[in-house]
């Protein structure tokens, strides 16, 4: 079974100790690869090839564990419902697993897996539409974390350097409109946080440091 299927299976698992078990598996596996077959949920974070479990990327495994730790805030029944709302059919669930793994693979090691988990939880609590998850999660992955922290904690867009405002615009967090046009040419811009940007800052703000 593909690791993407294991990941979706873990999200649907009725276990109160999902995060604890997965994180323990990651750390034990990092110390001793022979322990892999003894950990029940180890297939969630490991690629399985030809019947032999191996860690192809321990960093990715740790990212998956952090994501699962964050979504463990949702009861198993709500996690399963969220998966169904995001995917639905078995074929689409496999695709969802592949998309989640790709996003986690591209995420920074610490903060963005936690942010993606908070987005998933927000969908589960019906605070964010399931149809928005893919777009919002891509925004989280693509934004430079330092820029997002500046936007979140400085309190005023004008406090964010102009060059970084354009970077935040490129990742979907800011928008601008012409404010004043000078007679001799040139203009000043009026910046605002987009609806999607506000949604992300509300439900999964970046961690500090």
């Amino acid at each position: 079974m593909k690791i993407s299927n294991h990941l979706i299976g873990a999200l649907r698992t009725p276990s109160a100790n999902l995060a604890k078990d997965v994180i323990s598996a990651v750390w034990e596996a990092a110390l001793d690869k022979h322990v892999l077959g003894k950990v029940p949920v180890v297939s969630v974070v490991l690629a399985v090839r030809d019947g032999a479990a191996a860690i192809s990327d321990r960093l990715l495994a740790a990212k998956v564990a952090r994501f699962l730790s964050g979504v463990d805030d949702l009861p198993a029944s709500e996690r399963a419902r969220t998966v169904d709302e995001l995917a639905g059919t078995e074929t689409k669930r496999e695709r969802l697993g592949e998309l989640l793994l790709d996003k986690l693979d591209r995420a920074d090691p610490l903060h963005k897996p936690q942010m993606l988990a908070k987005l998933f939880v927000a969908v589960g609590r019906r605070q964010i539409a399931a149809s928005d998850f893919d777009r919002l999660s891509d925004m989280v992955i693509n934004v430079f974390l330092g820029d997002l922290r500046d936007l979140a904690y400085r309190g005023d867009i004008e406090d964010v350097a102009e060059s970084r405002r354009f970077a935040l615009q490129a990742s979907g967090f800011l928008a601008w409109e012409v404010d004043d046009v000078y007679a001799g040419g040139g203009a000043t811009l009026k910046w605002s946080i987009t609806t999607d940007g506000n949604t992300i800052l509300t439900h999964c703000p970046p961690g500090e440091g």
Side-chain angles (χ1 to χ4, degrees), residues 8 23 32 60 165:
I8 295 302
I23 291 171
D32 182 2
L60 175 59
R165 287 180 231 162

Side-chain angles (χ1 to χ4, degrees), residues 25 28-30 32-39 42:
E28 289 179 18
D32 182 2
K33 67 179 181 179
H34 299 294
V35 81
L36 303 184
K38 302 176 183 178
V39 184
V42 76

Side-chain angles (χ1 to χ4, degrees), residues 13 30 41 58 76 88 103 111 116 128 132-133 143 146 151 163 167 197 199:
T13 298
V41 296
R58 286 177 182 157
K103 292 174 195 289
H111 297 289
L116 291 176
I128 295 175
D132 293 340
F133 178 81
V143 70
L151 184 63
S163 62
T199 297

Side-chain angles (χ1 to χ4, degrees), residues 115-128:
M115 293 175 69
L116 291 176
K118 289 178 182 177
L119 268 184
F120 184 94
V121 169
V123 172
R125 292 174 177 165
R126 302 190 187 282
Q127 297 166 330
I128 295 175

Side-chain angles (χ1 to χ4, degrees), residues 7 10-11 15-24 26-27 44-45 61-75 79 104 110 113-118 120-121 125:
L7 174 57
L11 291 173
S15 169
N17 297 313
L18 172 65
K20 177 185 175 185
D21 290 345
V22 171
I23 291 171
S24 295
V26 171
W27 286 110
V44 174
V45 293
K63 293 176 186 179
V64 172
R66 289 191 178 99
F67 173 77
L68 290 173
S69 177
V71 303
D72 208 21
D73 289 344
L74 279 178
R79 294 198 309 266
L104 289 167
L110 180 60
Q114 296 170 342
M115 293 175 69
L116 291 176
K118 289 178 182 177
F120 184 94
V121 169
R125 292 174 177 165

Side-chain angles (χ1 to χ4, degrees), residues 76-114:
S77 60
E78 292 184 20
R79 294 198 309 266
R81 174 179 53 75
T82 303
V83 168
D84 289 342
E85 290 180 358
L86 290 171
T89 67
E90 184 174 346
T91 300
K92 290 182 178 179
R93 285 198 292 270
E94 180 178 333
R95 177 59 177 156
L96 173 62
E98 292 170 350
L99 288 172
L100 284 173
L101 284 176
D102 176 67
K103 292 174 195 289
L104 289 167
D105 193 31
R106 291 184 286 130
D108 82 284
L110 180 60
H111 297 289
K112 289 187 178 180
Q114 296 170 342

